[in-house]
Amino acid sequence: MNVLVYGAGQLAQMMYLAGAPLNLNVLAVDVANKTVVHPVEKTVLPQSLEQAINDADVLTVEFEHVPEELLLVAEESGKLSPNLQSILVGADRVREKHLLESLNIANCEHEIITDIAQLDGICERLGEKIIFKSSRDGYDGYGQWRSSTAADLPELKNIFTKLDLHKVPIVAEKMCPFTRELSLLGARNESGEIVVYPLAQNTHHEGQLHTSIAPAPLLSEALQAQALDIFTRLAEKLEYVGVLAVELFEHDGVLLVNELAPRVHNSGHWSMHGADTCQFENHLRAVCALPLGSTEHGPAAAMINIIGCNTFSKNFLSISGVHFHWYGKTVREKRKMGHINVTANSYADLADKFGNLSEYLPMEFFPKLLADADRIK
Amino acid sequence: MNVLVYGAGQLAQMMYLAGAPLNLNVLAVDVANKTVVHPVEKTVLPQSLEQAINDADVLTVEFEHVPEELLLVAEESGKLSPNLQSILVGADRVREKHLLESLNIANCEHEIITDIAQLDGICERLGEKIIFKSSRDGYDGYGQWRSSTAADLPELKNIFTKLDLHKVPIVAEKMCPFTRELSLLGARNESGEIVVYPLAQNTHHEGQLHTSIAPAPLLSEALQAQALDIFTRLAEKLEYVGVLAVELFEHDGVLLVNELAPRVHNSGHWSMHGADTCQFENHLRAVCALPLGSTEHGPAAAMINIIGCNTFSKNFLSISGVHFHWYGKTVREKRKMGHINVTANSYADLADKFGNLSEYLPMEFFPKLLADADRIK
């Protein structure tokens, strides 16, 4: 079977590696150039995108911000999984919020700003701490902004006045207090079968994921059941096929949905060593109409991102249960270069391994690692 | 780092898949055509063999019967791991027997036949049940023969008279009684670090490996220690770098070496799901001077070869802990097409999964599966 992935980054690469044993021939699309590339070597292949779509049995995505005109062609072929609607929900915060509201799934209190006048009195309604997010990414001048006090609003108004809020609305979200950030990854196939991984606990730093620990420490059955319920309602509503990632906040034992990603997800990389079937294999199984694989997992696993650095010895591989995944990219500040997977017999053991890793790694690039170790000791 | 593998079959393919995450660029040599090929897609690549040797940091093999002139060039480059001597030992039963004898490592009683006259009285010396093996493979007219009674000898003499026994001697081996066939796989790197996997128990049928179960059921610490001792003495004597497979017979709690394979081995495929670091990754770690990975393993894992068939549904993937590895080859009778890996919580659970698999698989191609299940119940 031929699988064509829109996007040619590390997620497509890891799909290729998971697909080959299943006799799945995974190719990638460099969406910027509309070329077909080898997902590992990144060499441009001779076939045109059109040809590759024709040859493919399945089209899928490694990121949700594929240009819409490409997605429309993909959808028309009848081979796209997950479906267009699901991808668009992931790419558009307004659609995402509408979906969550329609299913009564808890999420941060918010307003959708399509007119600058809506900012009037917003601090009375949502509080002073608000995060403003463009509904869609990749438009000049758009992005994310924060207000800490009502005094920040005039400047934000200035900025927003220059934007076309009808075309690209802004989602103003009350900054929810939360105990921790979690994510639930799961897969659904065409026959409606669903499997989910245990909730992972995620550590972010300057807007980037640094560490995922799975299962999330102190994970109760009730919390996992709550997450499964959210996942199931979303996946069924979307008639979703593939792996879907749900980013969550936990507050007082209650989960709020923060974001959806209609694809395999960085916070699921631990599953490559920590679970019976990794997220890449389960995504491929789902989109290729194969039975889903078990998500049985060990007592404690983690994924540590390697961000913005490529100068370190690989001697950390001497630590048992430690594996290395390199994406083969040119180094840039803040760029995800690879990740380290760790499996352990307990959280204490995992903490020890984090400590052990810190002796090998350039710690300025892993600012959260030791704090994470302390949290799980 | 660039790794060039002599041999472009499934073992090179699985090395590629294990190497990519480690930032190892694995290419393969089709030794029949002396072309460089992509180990997964098998496409012929533009570089010449000479160029590829130049570009490589490491040369290694996926089988021991690489034409000697190619091995000599490889050895000359100073990049070959394991070394030439180790590969030749695996390719030549006389060298293998000399090595075992020089280390006093128990193996089946045998004589090396370089002259037809040596057959006189051989049944008095080795018993009537003898297996005669050409010392090297791939020569016309050579192969393996058996005698069941002394009356079989005249016909064998007739056959052997036509062979050049000085060029390719025959090893006459007493058929040893044994309880079971086992194999030990391990890796050694340049700094002398050694790791071994638990002994696997192997089931053969008509000369082909059908199933490996690891750890071997009822594996005692003493037996594993005996195997480790054999492995260590062999690997150190050979100054071996890479994964080495030792095929063994167990008789009355004593291990006899049957054969050596200077490479990753079919009976180690279970490690892809059953051990912390699989044999392919450990081979690459060894030959690339990386620290070896832990061989920690679960309670029970197995590898089931798919031989000579390609018509079955993949619905067996619905069984938890079951994974599929397909080699992408054209089907031929007796050809290894792929394998199924199974992990389980106990041998009883493993036996249940074998039974479960039998409901999905065309059982005429898996004639030993249910007997294996019965043995471990």
Side-chain angles (χ1 to χ4, degrees):
Chain A
M1 256 177 124
N2 295 322
V3 178
L4 186 65
V5 185
Y6 286 78
Q10 62 264 25
L11 303 180
Q13 171 170 320
M14 291 186 275
M15 280 189 220
Y16 174 95
L17 298 174
L22 292 167
N23 199 23
L24 303 175
N25 178 29
V26 176
L27 297 181
V29 181
D30 175 340
V31 300
N33 305 315
K34 299 185 192 166
T35 49
V36 181
V37 302
H38 190 285
V40 180
E41 281 108 35
K42 321 291 185 206
T43 42
V44 178
L45 300 174
Q47 58 265 55
S48 68
L49 177 54
E50 204 183 356
Q51 249 180 300
I53 292 172
N54 262 327
D55 295 347
D57 300 287
V58 173
L59 308 178
T60 190
V61 298
E62 66 143 31
F63 74 134
E64 52 276 25
H65 301 295
V66 175
E68 214 165 305
E69 80 268 18
L70 291 186
L71 285 178
L72 289 170
V73 175
E75 175 77 352
E76 257 169 43
S77 73
K79 303 174 184 176
L80 183 64
S81 283
N83 56 38
L84 181 64
Q85 185 203 359
S86 302
I87 299 169
L88 293 180
V89 159
D92 183 333
R93 289 192 176 82
V94 172
R95 288 178 191 256
E96 192 174 88
K97 288 295 189 193
H98 285 327
L99 174 69
L100 294 171
E101 296 295 312
S102 77
L103 291 168
N104 273 318
I105 291 176
N107 60 92
C108 296
E109 208 181 322
H110 63 273
E111 292 185 11
I112 292 165
I113 312 289
T114 54
D115 189 306
I116 200 78
Q118 290 173 261
L119 291 189
D120 295 338
I122 195 166
C123 291
E124 282 84 70
R125 300 191 300 277
L126 293 182
E128 291 188 305
K129 289 185 195 310
I130 301 175
I131 179 157
F132 298 87
K133 302 174 180 173
S134 298
S135 59
R136 295 201 297 278
D137 291 341
Y139 291 88
D140 266 357
Y142 287 84
Q144 297 203 2
W145 304 265
R146 280 161 198 257
S147 71
S148 300
T149 71
D152 294 333
L153 279 186
E155 198 189 325
L156 290 173
K157 268 192 183 174
N158 264 341
I159 295 170
F160 297 168
T161 312
K162 294 167 199 143
L163 304 177
D164 181 349
L165 298 181
H166 280 284
K167 191 175 146 214
V168 183
I170 282 170
V171 177
E173 220 171 52
K174 179 191 173 93
M175 294 266 266
C176 311
F178 58 84
T179 330
R180 54 179 175 171
E181 294 177 83
L182 301 169
S183 58
L184 187 79
L185 272 78
R188 181 178 179 274
N189 65 12
E190 230 171 53
S191 47
E193 192 190 350
I194 282 178
V195 295
V196 297
Y197 293 91
L199 281 160
Q201 175 175 307
N202 302 322
T203 303
H204 288 84
H205 177 67
E206 297 177 359
Q208 284 189 299
L209 179 65
H210 272 238
T211 319
S212 292
I213 295 169
L218 301 174
L219 177 57
S220 68
E221 276 180 39
L223 201 71
Q224 180 71 18
Q226 209 183 123
L228 171 61
D229 174 63
I230 291 172
F231 182 89
T232 305
R233 286 194 285 150
L234 286 166
E236 289 181 348
K237 173 78 175 182
L238 291 166
E239 300 183 1
Y240 196 90
V241 172
V243 162
L244 169 70
V246 186
E247 294 186 56
L248 301 147
F249 296 129
E250 182 187 357
H251 187 57
D252 282 343
V254 174
L255 295 174
L256 299 181
V257 172
N258 176 31
E259 241 177 76
L260 306 177
R263 54 173 167 84
V264 289
H265 192 261
N266 196 170
S267 70
H269 292 356
W270 65 271
S271 65
M272 300 173 91
H273 294 94
D276 177 35
T277 313
C278 77
Q279 65 165 340
F280 301 99
E281 179 168 344
N282 257 334
H283 181 70
L284 290 169
R285 287 192 187 204
V287 300
C288 295
L290 292 169
L292 299 180
S294 137
T295 57
E296 267 183 57
H297 52 85
M303 185 287 309
I304 300 161
N305 269 335
I306 304 171
I307 298 175
C309 79
N310 63 354
T311 49
F312 47 83
S313 125
K314 286 185 193 160
N315 284 338
F316 63 78
L317 286 172
S318 61
I319 305 167
S320 107
V322 166
H323 292 271
F324 180 56
H325 294 265
W326 193 247
Y327 309 151
K329 302 191 293 193
T330 318
V331 71
R332 273 208 309 263
E333 204 187 331
K334 297 266 181 192
R335 192 172 206 194
K336 288 179 190 171
M337 303 301 296
H339 70 270
I340 295 168
N341 272 349
V342 188
T343 52
N345 299 321
S346 65
Y347 293 111
D349 183 25
L350 192 61
D352 285 346
K353 290 181 180 184
F354 281 17
N356 209 336
L357 275 167
S358 75
E359 293 163 25
Y360 292 96
L361 297 171
M363 287 308 285
E364 62 274 27
F365 294 100
F366 300 87
K368 295 290 191 170
L369 190 61
L370 291 178
D372 274 327
D374 280 342
R375 281 170 81 186
I376 58 174
K377 240 171 210 169
Chain B
M1 259 177 120
N2 295 322
V3 178
L4 186 65
V5 184
Y6 287 78
Q10 62 265 24
L11 302 180
Q13 172 170 320
M14 292 186 274
M15 280 188 222
Y16 174 96
L17 299 173
L22 292 168
N23 199 24
L24 303 175
N25 177 29
V26 176
L27 297 181
V29 181
D30 176 339
V31 298
N33 305 315
K34 298 185 191 165
T35 50
V36 180
V37 302
H38 190 284
V40 179
E41 283 108 30
K42 321 290 184 207
T43 42
V44 177
L45 300 173
Q47 56 267 57
S48 67
L49 177 53
E50 205 183 352
Q51 249 180 298
I53 293 173
N54 262 327
D55 294 347
D57 298 288
V58 173
L59 309 178
T60 190
V61 298
E62 67 144 27
F63 73 135
E64 51 277 26
H65 301 296
V66 176
E68 216 167 302
E69 81 269 16
L70 292 186
L71 285 179
L72 289 171
V73 175
E75 175 76 351
E76 258 168 43
S77 75
K79 302 174 183 175
L80 183 64
S81 285
N83 56 37
L84 182 63
Q85 185 206 357
S86 302
I87 299 169
L88 294 180
V89 159
D92 184 333
R93 288 191 177 82
V94 172
R95 289 177 190 255
E96 192 173 273
K97 286 297 188 190
H98 285 327
L99 174 68
L100 295 171
E101 296 295 313
S102 77
L103 290 168
N104 273 320
I105 292 176
N107 61 93
C108 296
E109 207 181 319
H110 64 275
E111 292 185 10
I112 293 165
I113 312 289
T114 54
D115 189 308
I116 199 80
Q118 290 173 262
L119 290 189
D120 296 337
I122 196 167
C123 289
E124 282 84 70
R125 299 191 303 274
L126 293 181
E128 292 188 303
K129 289 186 196 309
I130 301 175
I131 179 157
F132 297 88
K133 301 173 180 173
S134 298
S135 59
R136 298 203 294 277
D137 291 343
Y139 292 88
D140 266 358
Y142 287 83
Q144 297 203 1
W145 305 265
R146 277 161 202 255
S147 71
S148 300
T149 71
D152 293 334
L153 280 187
E155 199 191 323
L156 290 173
K157 268 191 184 178
N158 263 341
I159 297 171
F160 297 168
T161 310
K162 293 169 201 140
L163 305 176
D164 181 350
L165 299 181
H166 279 282
K167 192 176 144 206
V168 184
I170 283 170
V171 177
E173 221 173 51
K174 180 190 172 91
M175 293 266 269
C176 311
F178 59 83
T179 330
R180 54 179 176 171
E181 293 177 82
L182 302 169
S183 57
L184 186 79
L185 271 76
R188 181 178 178 273
N189 65 11
E190 231 172 49
S191 47
E193 193 188 352
I194 282 179
V195 296
V196 298
Y197 293 92
L199 280 160
Q201 175 175 310
N202 302 321
T203 303
H204 288 84
H205 177 66
E206 299 179 355
Q208 286 188 298
L209 179 67
H210 272 240
T211 320
S212 293
I213 295 169
L218 301 173
L219 177 57
S220 67
E221 274 181 42
L223 201 71
Q224 180 70 20
Q226 208 183 123
L228 172 60
D229 173 62
I230 291 172
F231 181 90
T232 305
R233 285 195 286 149
L234 286 167
E236 290 183 348
K237 173 79 175 180
L238 291 166
E239 301 184 0
Y240 196 91
V241 171
V243 162
L244 170 70
V246 185
E247 294 186 57
L248 301 148
F249 296 130
E250 182 187 0
H251 186 57
D252 282 343
V254 174
L255 295 174
L256 298 181
V257 172
N258 176 31
E259 242 176 74
L260 306 177
R263 55 174 166 81
V264 289
H265 192 261
N266 196 170
S267 69
H269 292 357
W270 64 271
S271 65
M272 300 172 89
H273 294 92
D276 177 35
T277 313
C278 76
Q279 64 165 341
F280 301 99
E281 179 169 344
N282 258 333
H283 181 69
L284 291 169
R285 287 193 188 202
V287 301
C288 295
L290 293 169
L292 300 179
S294 133
T295 57
E296 265 183 58
H297 53 84
M303 183 289 309
I304 300 162
N305 268 335
I306 304 171
I307 298 176
C309 79
N310 63 353
T311 50
F312 48 84
S313 125
K314 286 187 192 160
N315 284 337
F316 63 78
L317 286 172
S318 61
I319 306 167
S320 107
V322 166
H323 292 269
F324 181 54
H325 294 265
W326 193 248
Y327 309 152
K329 302 191 292 192
T330 318
V331 71
R332 273 206 312 261
E333 204 187 331
K334 297 268 179 185
R335 193 174 206 193
K336 289 181 189 169
M337 303 301 297
H339 71 268
I340 295 168
N341 273 348
V342 188
T343 52
N345 299 321
S346 65
Y347 293 111
D349 184 24
L350 191 61
D352 284 348
K353 290 182 179 182
F354 281 17
N356 209 336
L357 275 167
S358 75
E359 294 163 24
Y360 292 95
L361 296 171
M363 285 307 282
E364 62 275 27
F365 295 100
F366 300 87
K368 297 290 192 169
L369 190 61
L370 291 178
D372 274 327
D374 280 342
R375 281 170 82 187
I376 58 174
K377 239 172 208 162

